[in-house]
Structures are given as C-alpha cells and as structure tokens.
C-alpha cells in the first residue's frame, strides 16, 4: 500500500481554485518533492493531507486513513512542519520538546527517550535551557523537525523547511531527511531551492494548482529532450539575451546568474552559428556551448509555458 494516495484533490476558496484536480501517490520511504512558484497551491495541498483543511472534492488517503473522513486519525499518524516554524519562541528548547510531547500524548518514559533523540539529532545537547528565539535559524529548524517527529510518525510533511537557513545548515538538514527516508519514513517536502529538489526521489511540479509534471529528476529533464540548451557567456548578458531572442531557432531565453540559457526549438542548430550572429549583433561572446538541462531549466520551461 502507498503511504499517500491522492485522487482528484481540489480546494476552492470562493470562486478561486487553489488546488485543481491533483492526483499522485507516494510510496513508503520515498522523498517526494513539491516544486512550484509562490501561490501554486503547495501549502494548501499539504494542509489538506494533514487533516487541517477540508478538500472541496477528491480524496486523499494518508497512512491508510481517509483525510476527509477522519482528519483526527490522520493527525496522529503524521508529522508536520509548517511553513512558519511551529515552535514557541518564548519557551526553551526543553520546554518546546515537553510541550510537543504533551500534544502527541507521549508518556514520561517515551518522552525522555525521544527528548534524548531530538537533542542528539538536532545537535542541541548543552542548549536545553536556551530560549528558542535566541537560537540561530539552523538550530531552530532542526528543533522544529525534531518536535514534528517526536511521536515517530511514519509520514512527515515539511513545508519549506529550509527557508532562511544558511547553506551549511541546509546540507545538514538534508542528511537528516535522507536518514529518515532510509528508516522507511515517507517524506513530502516543498522547497524553492532546486539544488535541494535533486535530493528527492520524485518531484511533482505544481503550477496554478495543477500538476504540471511528475517524475524523477532524470525523467523531468527528458521533457527538454530534442530542445537543446545553449549556454552563452557574454560581456553584456542582457544584450546577448535580446539578440538570441530575435533568432528564429531560439524558443526562449532565461538568465542564470551572469550567463544566458537559450532553449532551441530543435536539435541541429550549431552553437557556432549563434556565435557568428551574436557577434554581428555587436555582442562580445566569451563562450557558447550546449549544456545538459538543469532542473531549473525544466522548471522554468514548465512554469513559463503554462503561464503563456
Ligand atoms: N484561506 C485562504 N483563503 C483564500 N485564499 C487562500 C487561502 N489559503 C490560500 N489561499 C490562496 O491559494 C493559493 C495557493 O496558496 P498556497 O499557500 O497553497 O501556495 P504555495 O504554493 O504554498 O505558495 P508559497 O510558495 O508562497 O508558499 C494562493 O493564491 C493563496 O492566496
Ligand atoms: Mg506555501
């Protein structure tokens, strides 16, 4: 049986459809990523899967429990880290753990065992009496994860867990996620960092409430098969972008830092031709080559295509 089974899940707010006919399933021990622009409907979907928000239509079965029929039953079987960390800032590390232990109804012995686990996992030993609001974002994030899994849920929902956290802490956090998945825990996670999305076993790209694409990173990259990406470095990237966009074989361009990626309409156009014409247009090109598509190329392609 799948850990999460979603069928035609829909949520409307008045006339506005925030989540539109979503269907997908997530296997046990899978790290499943949700990618989408701001307002795509990721948090709304997660809140429905956690039994916090009623679906307008469709069904979701999480850990064998139908979220519409038994939202309380779902809450007991899952861990949830909301987009705004759900810790109490005015409490100490220890007090937060005790508080969440109470919420999940842990007995004293189990709470103490789990407290030791969380302090270890989060690297917070020795900081038990520290006020949560004075912890750095990385510690707070690991404590929030620990509190969300105090009751050892088999399924965990993480809504943008790494927002505002430095790269080193993000790495450390993803090591924890990988460990949880290795233990058979199912993780559904949203992120805006595409490098993080590469950790996910499978990814769903959500755009305006709908499923735009789903698959492994390799499968998603296949969506650009037959449309090569040419990476151009030039003295003036904006001028290069304009010149590329005027060329008939270029479908579209996007800026990647100081380089420009051009998606070609078809394979075959040699980058050398592009260089010649860029130079004719007065653009000083330092390099121009076909590159493997990144997840960001795929994401921009999917999201822009549906917006136009
Ligand atoms: N309670 C609500 N009432 C009305 N509209 C809502 C409500 N909750 C969410 N929305 C709208 O639904 C859409 C989806 O919101 P949601 O928070 O799910 O997006 P998201 O993908 O999580 O975005 P972000 O990346 O910014 O967190 C947005 O347009 C939002 O304004
Ligand atoms: Mg959100």
């Amino acid at each position: 049986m799948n850990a999460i089974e979603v069928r035609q899940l829909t949520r409307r707010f008045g006339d506005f459809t925030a989540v539109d006919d979503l269907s997908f399933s997530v296997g046990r021990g899978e790290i499943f990523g949700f990618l989408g622009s701001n307002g795509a409907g990721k948090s709304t979907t997660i809140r429905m899967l956690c039994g916090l928000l009623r679906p307008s239509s469709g069904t979701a079965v999480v850990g064998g429990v139908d979220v519409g029929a038994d939202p309380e039953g779902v809450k007991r079987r899952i861990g949830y880290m909301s987009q705004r960390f759900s810790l109490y800032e005015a409490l100490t590390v220890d007090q937060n753990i005790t508080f969440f232990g109470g919420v999940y109804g842990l007995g004293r012995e189990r709470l103490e065992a789990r407290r030791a686990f969380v302090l270890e996992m989060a690297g917070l030993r020795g900081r038990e009496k520290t006020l949560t609001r004075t912890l750095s974002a990385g510690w707070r994030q690991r404590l929030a994860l620990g509190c969300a899994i105090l009751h050892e849920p088999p399924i965990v929902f993480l809504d943008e867990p790494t927002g505002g956290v430095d790269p080193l802490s993000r790495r450390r956090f993803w090591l924890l996620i990988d460990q949880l998945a290795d233990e058979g825990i199912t993780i559904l996670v949203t992120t805006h960092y595409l490098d993080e999305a590469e950790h996910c076993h499978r990814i769903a790209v959500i755009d305006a409430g709908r499923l735009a694409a789903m698959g492994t990173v390799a499968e998603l990259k296949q969506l650009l098969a037959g449309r090569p990406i040419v990476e151009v470095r030039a003295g003036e990237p904006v001028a290069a972008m304009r010149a590329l966009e005027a060329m008939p074989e270029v479908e579209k361009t996007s800026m990647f830092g100081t380089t420009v990626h051009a998606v070609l309409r078809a394979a075959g156009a040699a980058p050398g031709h592009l260089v010649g014409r860029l130079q004719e247009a007065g653009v000083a090109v330092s390099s121009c080559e076909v590159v493997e598509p990144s997840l960001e190329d795929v994401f921009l392609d999917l999201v822009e295509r549906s917006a136009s």
Side-chain angles (χ1 to χ4, degrees):
M1 193 180 65
N2 281 319
I4 302 172
E5 197 66 65
V6 174
R7 289 288 160 258
Q8 298 181 302
L9 193 66
T10 300
R11 173 69 204 207
R12 283 181 283 272
F13 295 109
D15 292 341
F16 175 70
T17 306
V19 175
D20 194 357
D21 202 30
L22 275 193
S23 297
F24 61 89
S25 43
V26 183
R28 188 169 170 271
E30 192 170 16
I31 305 177
F32 190 79
F34 254 24
L35 282 184
S37 310
N38 292 130
K42 304 178 298 293
S43 297
T44 304
T45 303
I46 287 188
R47 289 171 60 217
M48 288 192 279
L49 299 184
C50 291
L52 297 168
L53 184 72
R54 273 199 161 275
S56 303
S57 60
T59 58
V61 177
V62 174
V65 178
D66 186 315
V67 300
D70 185 9
E72 292 307 316
V74 169
K75 285 182 203 164
R76 280 195 298 276
R77 286 172 174 80
I78 58 138
Y80 170 52
M81 197 168 143
S82 67
Q83 193 164 355
R84 302 188 197 297
F85 294 169
S86 32
L87 296 170
Y88 288 89
E89 302 265 312
L91 297 183
T92 64
V93 167
D94 250 349
Q95 288 167 335
N96 261 302
I97 295 174
T98 306
F99 172 80
F100 283 99
V103 168
Y104 298 127
L106 302 191
R108 182 179 301 184
E109 247 174 64
R110 182 140 176 250
L111 174 62
E112 290 321 312
R114 295 301 289 164
R115 185 195 308 281
F117 165 82
V118 169
L119 291 172
E120 196 59 45
M121 177 202 86
L124 278 166
R125 227 174 246 302
R127 288 188 164 76
E128 293 87 341
K129 304 283 177 266
T130 306
L131 278 183
T132 302
R133 72 162 162 272
T134 65
L135 293 172
S136 74
W139 303 107
R140 264 210 306 273
Q141 171 211 42
R142 291 195 291 274
L143 178 60
L145 175 65
C147 288
I149 62 171
L150 263 182
H151 54 311
E152 298 174 84
I155 303 169
V156 179
F157 294 90
L158 306 172
D159 197 355
E160 267 183 65
T162 54
V165 172
D166 70 56
L168 214 61
S169 297
R170 288 208 280 135
R171 258 170 215 239
R172 197 164 160 193
F173 190 78
W174 276 95
L175 284 177
L176 293 175
I177 301 298
D178 288 336
Q179 269 170 29
L180 292 175
D182 285 344
E183 289 164 18
I185 294 173
T186 306
I187 315 263
L188 191 151
V189 58
T190 72
T191 179
H192 287 292
Y193 297 108
L194 295 171
D195 58 326
E196 289 190 343
E198 305 242 1
H199 281 264
C200 298
H201 301 139
R202 276 190 310 142
I203 292 168
V205 180
I206 315 288
D207 188 48
R210 298 206 173 169
L211 190 66
M214 182 163 57
T216 62
V217 170
E219 285 165 353
L220 291 180
K221 287 180 179 174
Q222 274 301 308
L223 296 173
L224 280 167
R227 293 186 296 149
I229 311 273
V230 174
E231 185 175 270
V232 178
R233 287 176 202 278
E236 291 173 71
V238 175
M241 203 161 154
R242 291 218 184 91
L244 285 162
E245 276 185 355
M247 298 179 192
E249 62 269 59
V250 173
E251 187 184 313
K252 61 176 153 194
T253 62
S254 36
M255 198 72 94
F256 278 64
T258 56
T259 70
V260 180
H261 279 197
V263 181
L264 303 188
R265 290 184 199 282
H273 282 271
L274 300 186
V275 174
R277 272 180 295 148
L278 280 166
Q279 281 164 345
E280 278 166 32
V283 177
V285 179
S286 45
S287 74
C288 176
E289 56 183 352
V290 174
V291 293
E292 284 294 310
S294 66
L295 196 53
E296 197 164 351
D297 287 306
V298 176
F299 180 76
L300 290 173
D301 186 52
L302 285 166
V303 170
E304 286 180 354
R305 231 187 333 184
S306 65
S308 57

